Amino acid sequence: MKDDSSLSPDSRFETRAIHVGQDWRDQTGAVIPPVYLTSTFETGNPGGFDYTRSGSPNFRNLQNTLASLEGAKHCTVFASGVSAITAVASTLKSGDLVLAEENVYGCTYRLFARVFEKFGVKVKYVNFANEANFPLIKQLKPTLVWIESPTNPLLKCIDIAAISKLARAAGSTVVVDNTFASAFLQRPIELGAHLSLISTTKYSNGHSDALGGAVCSNDDEWQEKMIFAQKALGLQPSPFDAWLVSRGIKTMNLRMERHSANALELATRLEKTKGIKWVRYPFLKSHPQYKIATKQMSGGSGLIVADLGLSTAKTMKFMTKLHLFTQAESLGGIESLICHPATMTHASIPKEVRESVGITDGVVRFSVGIEHVEDLWNDIQQALKAAK
Ligand SMILES: *Cc1c(COP(=O)(O)O)cnc(C)c1O
């Protein structure tokens, strides 16, 4: 029942995004695989399906596509990025150490702090943008090294290849949260990481209409653990959400190219704008890890962080004056969004801690969509004028 075995093994990303993971169509000739809205499957079916919590044609299709695009042997899909994080964390036992980047996604931090640390998992946070901290991997030999690149919201870029090499030597497993970059721009497994974790809610789906997560690896044992977590912890997505992500992923290359081009242009112009304190974008030469970013990513992705140099009230006014950027959390959709980390995503972090890492009141995060860049720029300019 596999339809894509005829695909040449050297097919490129753009071709694989459209042609890998299109199985379970051969009895109907459907050009696009349907959504399998069924909770259970008749015993003895040729696909070996039994119950949707432990597998569905829609999961398998999406898993095949994502594994191919991430350059991995395996992939398991989950209900959300946080479900994927839960799946990986659930493999830990009391006493295990996680050595994590200090600027990890807020919900990753919360999941460790409020849930897994209760069960005796230890987590130590370090700044992995500083090479002076790399020897900690050899010293501490953590069970997991947890990194993210670029990070949220400061877009720190962390050397995945260097850290993976050190972690492999120390016997540690490296998990890279690849959500901000996407498989089109960065492939952690090819850089040496063991696991590439993605919130497919963001750039993979790209249309802000479904949630999903995935874990990719080349390791048969890890794959078994992830498939176990999918069914035993009830972390599976809905077949419809998996189908939506499969649909969205087909245009990932086009979207990522436009997100990256638009964001680079806006970041370049913002940096030249009077009154703006700083602009951070991985592919701007002024980015502190520009070299690492351009070494491991093929584009800068769609996020820009900037300190507009405005008070909280004026920053709020700027955001409400925007017409094309909707004020909302999340990122990676075709439409532009803006968020104010100090009062939104990072509101729960004490002000001193928040400011010490650079999230001051004038900081905004743009998730640049794929609209026309001149329209986006005009919108930013008129809103800045109105706010001042
Ligand atoms: C959104 C996000 C997640 C969590 O994904 P959900 O699909 O919202 O559960 C994890 N990591 C990063 C970097 C994210 O941006």
Side-chain angles (χ1 to χ4, degrees):
M1 278 209 183
K2 270 181 131 353
D3 294 342
D4 49 30
S5 55
S6 61
L7 197 68
S8 156
D10 52 3
S11 303
R12 293 165 179 83
F13 189 100
E14 293 80 350
T15 307
R16 285 182 280 121
I18 292 172
H19 292 282
V20 176
Q22 304 301 306
D23 300 337
W24 318 106
R25 300 180 289 143
D26 61 348
Q27 286 177 354
T28 59
V31 170
I32 295 295
V35 195
Y36 283 85
L37 291 176
T38 181
S39 58
T40 192
F41 298 84
E42 186 175 355
T43 303
N45 66 78
F49 295 103
D50 47 50
Y51 186 60
T52 289
R53 177 151 41 73
S54 52
S56 140
N58 296 110
F59 303 175
R60 285 199 203 164
N61 279 344
L62 179 55
Q63 285 166 176
N64 288 340
T65 314
L66 282 166
S68 173
L69 300 185
E70 287 273 341
K73 187 171 165 195
H74 304 294
C75 174
T76 309
V77 293
F78 298 100
S80 65
V82 167
S83 303
I85 297 165
T86 303
V88 175
S90 75
T91 65
L92 296 166
K93 58 183 189 314
S94 178
D96 283 350
L97 174 69
V98 181
L99 189 61
E101 156 57 30
E102 64 183 6
N103 188 210
V104 285
Y105 181 65
C107 299
T108 307
Y109 175 85
R110 183 177 62 190
L111 193 61
F112 281 126
R114 305 266 299 267
V115 182
F116 288 97
E117 287 182 46
K118 264 192 338 202
F119 297 111
V121 169
K122 298 196 184 78
V123 189
K124 183 175 167 60
Y125 293 93
V126 295
N127 176 8
F128 272 128
N130 182 359
E131 280 185 30
N133 288 323
F134 286 9
L136 281 172
I137 298 172
K138 191 177 172 186
Q139 273 166 36
L140 301 172
K141 298 194 174 22
T143 307
L144 294 181
V145 174
W146 198 291
I147 57 180
E148 202 174 301
S149 188
T151 67
N152 180 38
L154 295 170
L155 309 178
K156 272 165 71 173
C157 293
I158 289 163
D159 194 334
I160 298 171
I163 288 179
S164 298
K165 201 170 163 201
L166 292 168
R168 280 182 184 270
S172 307
T173 296
V174 179
V175 189
V176 178
D177 186 329
N178 201 32
T179 302
F180 270 38
S182 84
F184 184 64
L185 302 177
Q186 173 174 282
R187 287 181 283 283
I189 305 278
E190 291 174 1
L191 293 167
H194 299 82
L195 306 178
S196 180
L197 184 152
I198 330 155
S199 164
T200 55
T201 309
K202 317 292 171 51
Y203 288 114
S204 311
N205 180 45
H207 292 74
S208 308
D209 53 11
L211 276 91
V215 178
C216 300
S217 79
N218 281 341
D219 186 305
D220 298 347
E221 257 174 61
W222 266 103
Q223 175 62 4
E224 228 168 86
K225 289 180 194 174
M226 292 299 95
I227 287 287
F228 177 80
Q230 187 190 54
K231 69 173 175 196
L233 277 74
L235 299 173
Q236 78 293 337
S238 87
F240 186 48
D241 278 358
W243 183 88
L244 282 170
V245 177
S246 286
R247 183 174 68 160
I249 232 167
K250 291 176 197 283
T251 55
M252 192 194 220
N253 59 299
L254 294 174
R255 288 185 285 104
M256 292 320 294
E257 281 170 5
R258 180 62 69 84
H259 282 298
S260 299
N262 279 359
L264 178 60
E265 185 60 31
L266 294 183
T268 306
R269 292 187 192 183
L270 275 171
E271 204 171 40
K272 291 184 193 143
T273 302
K274 248 211 214 134
I276 303 242
K277 275 199 187 153
W278 51 260
V279 178
R280 193 168 286 183
Y281 180 70
F283 272 42
L284 275 185
K285 287 214 173 71
S286 57
H287 188 287
Q289 294 95 37
Y290 173 76
K291 268 202 181 136
I292 294 168
T294 51
K295 183 181 75 169
Q296 66 190 18
M297 297 168 78
S298 59
S301 198
L303 293 143
I304 303 172
V305 191
D307 189 332
L308 303 177
L310 301 172
S311 63
T312 304
K314 284 186 175 172
T315 306
M316 290 301 181
K317 189 159 179 204
F318 166 76
M319 296 203 296
T320 55
K321 290 288 176 186
L322 287 165
H323 303 300
L324 296 178
F325 290 81
T326 303
Q327 188 181 329
E329 288 185 12
S330 198
L331 60 117
I334 44 181
E335 71 293 310
S336 294
L337 301 178
I338 185 152
C339 107
H340 186 236
T343 57
M344 294 168 70
T345 47
H346 293 67
S348 60
I349 301 172
K351 191 175 162 86
E352 321 79 71
V353 180
R354 181 160 62 65
E355 294 195 333
S356 73
V357 297
I359 308 169
T360 46
D361 292 341
V363 170
V364 291
R365 187 190 77 188
F366 298 91
S367 172
V368 179
I370 62 169
E371 300 94 335
H372 197 288
V373 70
E374 296 301 340
D375 292 334
L376 294 175
W377 179 241
N378 288 344
D379 195 31
I380 291 173
Q381 276 186 310
Q382 66 77 24
L384 272 177
K385 218 172 174 185
K388 284 175 185 163

